[in-house]
Amino acid sequence: MSIEPIGLFTLALALVCLFLDYGVMITALVVATVFGSAAALFIGGANIPPAHLFMGAVTVVTLSRPRQCAELIRALHPDRPGFWILCFVVYGLVTAYFYPRVMAGQTQIVPLGNSAFDDTGSTVPLGPVSSNFTQSIYMVASLLVFLLVTSSAATPEGFRTAVIAATAYVTANVLFALLDLATYLTGTQAMLEFMRNARYALHTEADVEGMKRIVGSFTEASSFARSSLGSLGFIGTLWLCGRRPLLTGTLTVLTFVLALLSTSSTALAVMPVMLVILYLTAIGRSGTSRRARASAVVAVTLPLISIAVVLGIAAHPVLSQVVMGYLDTIVLSKGSTDSGIERGSWNTSALQNFLDSGGIGVGLGTVRTSSLAMALLGGLGVIGTLFYAVFMGLTLLRNPGPRGSFVTDARLAARNACLGLTAGDLLIGSSVDQGLFFFAIAGIAAARPERATRAAPPAATRPETAAPPPLAARGRRPAPPLPGTRKTA
């Protein structure tokens, strides 16, 4: 085991946070998930990211706080999403250990990690792989982050802190993208080596048609684009709802522009879906309050702007040729490239694994895919997919809340972010783990702080603030009137 400088900083930050408010730890945990290309320490060949290391400290503090423990246990009730993601993780751990061993050799797989066979670039017989263990660890960590954020956001104060934490993540995502561009243009990329030390294949210097592929704090442009889609769903919804419009509006524009400039096919393919989601949100929020004036403006002007942009490009042959050439390189011809063909073969192999296993899958972390759907079916089969579907349904569809309130707007923003991240994962997801940020934002979507408000007695009825009972009710006689005064009715 070896620890990196960013790991030492993470430990120092955790130590400092122990002496600060609990909300600071939650905020730091959510922001730490932005470091997608960093390793705090190495255990053998496994990379331990800063957020996973920091999560250990947050978990210890949470378990030492009775109220947080009670909320964490309450989040595991069968009618809450936490119960179903717990079932999913437990089932995944069982499949990760037993399925590759029990069904060894029954089908050919594209292994996600190292297997007992040499890496030939093609399929190998089914058997245990190193990623069975690492994916199990990652899913347990994702479960813990979901429960930590949900339990912390179970009170109005904690919920507001969680929203601030997600906003801080969006801000960090934008800042690291700008820093990535600045260091590339000035030849000072070495400044970012402190957070690009993971033992993954890093594609931080790639470009397309002379344009830098923006990776920010992640390993490649597609990962940054996926993060930006979730960020756009969250911060864009808050802006449409009129929450801190100057800050959220600025972050919305920057996130949108940087995602498009990332040259990632994921961003260009999923961006229309994200814009439709935000447009529907704008229509739903239009006219509900003065705070949501941005929604009314977007609902009216976005179609007009879209038509004007399309007509403007079509009216200039040279510009339209450049745009179509760019789209063809990034999106339309992606399936015919070596990378596209390889990713398609991964999904085909995973589907075959699903069929060969009789629909039960070949185990968590066993197969490599390029789609969340294929990762679920190929790895965990029908049972695991159903567990995950129920979790997503309860997280995204239940408990909308009172219209126009801060809690409702923030939950809607978190749900739109989950939709953006999931849409990206359906295109590029190599495993079932959607990352710590997804589960942190899902924790906001599933939180119920209004229950704490309803459970608290009104101020007038609390024992310490209630008015004292009349003297007669306490068994005393009222004092006689003073001489010279008349008795009043």
Side-chain angles (χ1 to χ4, degrees), residues 227-408:
S227 172
S228 297
L229 289 169
S231 298
L232 181 62
F234 181 80
I235 206 69
T237 303
L238 289 182
W239 174 63
L240 291 174
C241 294
R243 304 292 172 178
R244 298 293 180 93
L246 180 59
L247 173 64
T248 57
T250 302
L251 290 175
T252 298
V253 172
L254 289 174
T255 301
F256 174 75
V257 172
L258 289 170
L260 292 182
L261 292 179
S262 68
T263 72
S264 169
S265 58
T266 302
L268 295 180
V270 181
M271 188 61 74
V273 177
M274 195 70 255
L275 291 179
V276 169
I277 292 173
L278 291 176
Y279 185 69
L280 293 176
T281 300
I283 293 176
R285 293 290 286 124
S286 296
T288 57
S289 66
R290 291 183 179 180
R291 183 187 295 274
R293 284 176 293 185
S295 293
V297 173
V298 169
V300 173
T301 61
L302 184 60
L304 300 177
I305 294 174
S306 301
I307 294 173
V309 170
V310 172
L311 293 178
I313 294 175
H316 294 79
V318 176
L319 179 60
S320 61
Q321 185 176 1
V322 172
V323 172
M324 288 304 299
Y326 179 75
L327 291 176
D328 181 69
T329 301
I330 300 301
V331 180
L332 302 180
S333 299
K334 184 69 175 180
S336 60
T337 62
D338 292 340
S339 174
I341 294 173
E342 183 182 40
R343 289 177 176 271
S345 67
W346 294 347
N347 291 335
T348 302
S349 176
L351 181 59
Q352 189 62 48
N353 298 150
F354 171 74
L355 298 174
D356 291 343
S357 64
I360 66 172
V362 293
L364 172 66
T366 302
V367 296
R368 181 182 298 277
T369 67
S370 184
S371 171
L372 173 64
M374 289 298 101
L376 286 168
L377 291 173
L380 290 104
V382 174
I383 298 175
T385 302
L386 286 176
F387 281 146
Y388 207 74
V390 175
F391 161 72
M392 292 290 285
L394 292 177
T395 300
L396 302 180
L397 301 179
R398 288 189 61 185
N399 193 34
R403 192 175 185 182
S405 68
F406 170 73
V407 171
T408 300

Side-chain angles (χ1 to χ4, degrees), residues 95-147:
T95 65
Y97 183 81
F98 289 103
Y99 284 13
R101 292 169 171 82
V102 173
M103 295 186 289
Q106 293 186 14
T107 184
Q108 296 289 116
I109 65 169
V110 177
L112 179 59
N114 298 323
S115 69
F117 302 92
D118 294 333
D119 184 8
T120 60
S122 60
T123 59
V124 300
L126 173 61
V129 295
S130 61
S131 50
N132 291 135
F133 174 75
T134 56
Q135 286 297 307
S136 297
I137 296 299
Y138 290 155
M139 284 309 306
V140 170
S142 296
L143 169 65
L144 282 175
V145 166
F146 176 81
L147 294 176

Side-chain angles (χ1 to χ4, degrees), residues 18-43:
L18 290 176
F19 299 96
L20 301 177
D21 185 72
Y22 180 74
V24 177
M25 297 196 75
I26 294 295
T27 302
L29 173 62
V30 175
V31 174
T33 63
V34 81
F35 293 102
S37 62
L41 56 91
F42 300 104
I43 301 178

